[in-house]
């Protein structure tokens, strides 16, 4: 059975199915402040850049991207703030009526029951084609390398550029992007930030958070910094900027 991929604008009745996908995001990742501000607006504001993948009408994958003005005054370079920053730029540009010149990927999710079938690569190809169809010459992405969590103490600046004997990235998700035509540009050192009290982190992770300093959390790309005296912990996630010429 072939995966049917369209924009949400073409099949708006599938919005609820996109929201109900069984994903594999760890709980703490759902508490990024920027995400909580903008996430529920993606479908309404950018339906032409929201992709939905279905098997026989059932939603099995989704992909969100946003148009923004990379070359607006004061910008010009892919931001160190990565995912958080580009999402904020996109909504600010839309609100102000600024003409976008670039599209950024925001998320590609495949239902857990359908992972391992190459659907993420198909969604990425569709996202590239959708940006091209709308007249853009480039798709960028603040990529979250999906095997980096196995090496939380390795600097992203080292991990992101590590390659296999065939020259492709060691990381599987970065490898999908490069195979699709992307170029790895640089690390976004503070791409996402999650802060919370120690009790919140205990609830999100099931860990005690009873020691000062770095705490290795399952599925986190780098350790979470814990401060007992001040009753908070903070996770600053690095991502990897890639560029897809279209």
């Amino acid at each position: 059975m072939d995966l049917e991929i369209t924009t949400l604008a073409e099949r708006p009745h599938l919005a609820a199915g996109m929201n109900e996908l069984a994903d594999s995001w760890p709980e703490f990742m759902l508490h990024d402040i920027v995400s909580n501000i903008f996430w529920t607006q993606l479908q309404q504001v950018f339906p032409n850049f929201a992709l939905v993948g279905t098997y026989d009408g059932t939603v099995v994958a989704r992909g969100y991207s946003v148009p923004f003005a990379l070359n607006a005054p004061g910008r010009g370079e892919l931001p160190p703030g990565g995912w958080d920053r580009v999402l904020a730029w996109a909504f600010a540009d839309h609100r102000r009526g600024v003409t976008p010149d670039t599209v950024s990927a925001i998320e590609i999710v495949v239902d857990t029951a359908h992972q391992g079938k190459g659907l993420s690569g198909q969604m990425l190809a569709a996202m590239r084609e959708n940006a091209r169809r709308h007249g853009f010459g480039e798709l960028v992405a603040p990529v979250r390398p999906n095997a980096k969590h196995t090496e939380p103490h390795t600097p992203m600046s080292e991990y992101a550029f590590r390659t296999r004997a065939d020259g492709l990235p060691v990381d599987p998700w970065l490898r999908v992007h490069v195979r699709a035509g992307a170029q790895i540009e640089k690390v976004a050192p503070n791409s996402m930030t999650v802060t919370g009290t120690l009790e919140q982190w205990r609830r999100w992770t099931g860990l005690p958070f009873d020691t000062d300093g770095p705490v290795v959390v399952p599925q986190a790309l780098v350790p979470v910094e814990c401060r007992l005296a001040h009753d908070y912990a903070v996770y600053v996630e690095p991502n990897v900027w890639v560029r897809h010429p279209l």
Side-chain angles (χ1 to χ4, degrees), residues 3-241:
L3 182 68
E4 181 181 4
I5 305 173
T6 65
T7 65
L8 181 61
E10 294 170 292
R11 294 191 287 174
H13 62 285
L14 296 178
M18 294 174 71
N19 295 332
E20 293 165 1
L21 278 180
D23 61 49
S24 54
W25 292 116
E27 172 65 25
F28 68 88
M29 289 291 291
L30 306 181
H31 299 278
D32 172 84
I33 294 174
V34 173
S35 174
N36 289 341
I37 292 172
F38 296 115
W39 195 255
T40 59
Q41 304 174 57
L42 280 171
Q43 293 181 343
Q44 291 74 37
V45 176
F46 301 113
N48 287 307
F49 295 89
L51 300 181
V52 54
T54 59
Y55 279 146
D56 195 26
T58 299
V59 179
V60 297
R62 69 174 181 245
Y64 291 119
S65 59
V66 292
F68 72 105
L70 176 60
N71 296 307
R75 300 180 187 174
E77 295 184 0
L78 294 173
W83 195 93
D84 282 352
R85 178 59 63 188
V86 78
L87 194 59
W89 279 354
F91 276 91
D93 291 347
H94 174 79
R95 185 174 65 252
R96 297 168 183 164
V98 176
T99 301
D101 54 41
T102 307
V103 175
S104 177
I106 292 297
E107 180 195 55
I108 291 177
V109 164
V110 175
D111 188 278
T112 54
H114 294 274
Q115 291 177 357
K117 300 177 181 179
L119 302 191
S120 59
Q122 294 182 54
M123 293 296 289
L124 176 59
M127 190 174 288
R128 286 168 50 99
E129 179 55 34
N130 188 60
R132 184 186 299 112
R133 186 166 59 249
H134 281 88
F136 293 92
E138 182 177 53
L139 173 75
V140 298
V143 175
R144 185 178 199 264
N146 63 359
K148 174 64 172 69
H149 67 93
T150 65
E151 299 184 34
H153 295 291
T154 301
M156 185 65 87
S157 57
E158 174 187 334
Y159 180 87
F161 296 94
R162 191 185 299 165
T163 57
R164 309 186 308 183
D166 61 4
L168 291 171
V170 166
D171 184 81
W173 190 217
L174 283 173
R175 194 158 60 243
V176 170
H177 279 268
V178 171
R179 279 179 169 154
Q183 300 171 344
I184 297 175
E185 177 155 321
K186 63 181 180 179
V187 171
N190 55 314
S191 191
M192 302 180 78
T193 301
V194 177
T195 62
T197 65
L198 300 184
E199 181 54 37
Q200 286 176 313
W201 277 100
R202 290 168 187 141
R203 187 167 63 249
W204 297 339
T205 66
L207 298 176
F209 275 88
D210 56 2
T211 304
D212 263 321
V215 178
V216 174
V217 171
Q219 300 303 311
L221 306 194
V222 296
V224 176
E225 291 295 327
C226 176
R227 294 294 179 264
L228 293 180
H230 302 288
D231 189 30
Y232 78 88
V234 60
Y235 173 64
V236 180
E237 178 171 292
N239 289 164
V240 181
W241 275 117

